[in-house]
Amino acid sequence: MPLVGLTVVEPRLAWPLAAVRGAFAILFGILALIWPGATVLALAIIYGIYAIIDGVGGLMQAFRPGDPAHRAAYGVLGVLGVAAGVLVLLWPGITVLVLAFLVGFWAIFTGIVEIVAAIRLRKQIEGEAFLIAAGALSLIAGIVIVINPIAGAYGIALLVGIYALLYGVMLLVLAFRLRKLTQA
């Protein structure tokens, strides 16, 4: 018995939905590439709204009957979620910078770990130069992002835009293939 909402749609009937989804993904990708600053700010605002809604959900869970420890945890998470969402909505630019710094420091840490791992494993594996190169690339990217977090934030928006474009193209290809099924 299929789960509600998880049933498979007849492929011949699904092509228009895939085409619309693909077109919107391509449109979003183009807009993200044209206006990366606005894209990053919009993502921060969407996250702020999500955090508030999620926080309210946590607060609602805190007032339901059940284990007091779980209720307290939901209450704390709810308050933190609402507070984080409000802060993000008040200062979305700072949120973007913090995200860029997190990505930058993560890339630096990852790069260092990969370089150290490659050096330590050089007698056990072949091709450790690739791991060293990947680590160096990660380290350099992280340093660039930490030095210039605005560029890092724009980079995130550009990656989201490229992803959306590629995803949209794939959905359109799928839509045209599904449409062929209806004509056969």
Side-chain angles (χ1 to χ4, degrees):
M1 181 167 137
L3 297 172
V4 175
L6 297 177
T7 57
V8 177
V9 176
E10 170 64 32
R12 293 182 195 131
L13 303 175
W15 79 264
L17 179 60
V20 169
R21 288 179 58 214
F24 275 112
I26 289 171
L27 177 64
F28 172 74
I30 291 169
L31 294 176
L33 293 173
I34 292 173
W35 296 302
T39 300
V40 173
L41 283 176
L43 290 172
I45 291 168
I46 289 169
Y47 170 75
I49 293 168
Y50 162 77
I52 290 172
I53 292 169
D54 187 59
V56 168
L59 288 172
M60 290 171 61
Q61 191 69 23
F63 290 102
R64 292 181 186 232
D67 178 36
H70 283 98
R71 292 177 55 208
Y74 277 115
V76 169
L77 289 175
V79 168
L80 290 175
V82 170
V86 168
L87 289 174
V88 167
L89 292 178
L90 290 175
W91 298 296
I94 292 173
T95 302
V96 168
L97 289 178
V98 168
L99 174 64
F101 276 118
L102 287 173
V103 168
F105 285 121
W106 170 80
I108 290 170
F109 177 76
T110 301
I112 291 170
V113 169
E114 287 175 341
I115 292 169
V116 169
I119 291 170
R120 294 184 82 202
L121 294 173
R122 71 181 178 272
K123 293 181 181 175
Q124 298 169 359
I125 63 171
E126 289 184 29
E128 74 278 359
F130 291 109
L131 187 55
I132 290 173
L137 183 63
S138 182
L139 182 62
I140 292 167
I143 291 169
V144 168
I145 291 170
V146 168
I147 290 172
N148 189 352
I150 299 294
Y154 276 72
I156 292 168
L158 294 176
L159 286 175
V160 168
I162 291 167
Y163 160 75
L165 275 174
L166 294 174
Y167 183 71
V169 168
M170 296 297 165
L171 283 177
L172 283 179
V173 169
L174 173 66
F176 287 122
R177 289 196 171 192
L178 291 175
R179 185 171 178 230
K180 277 186 179 178
L181 289 175
T182 63
Q183 296 170 346

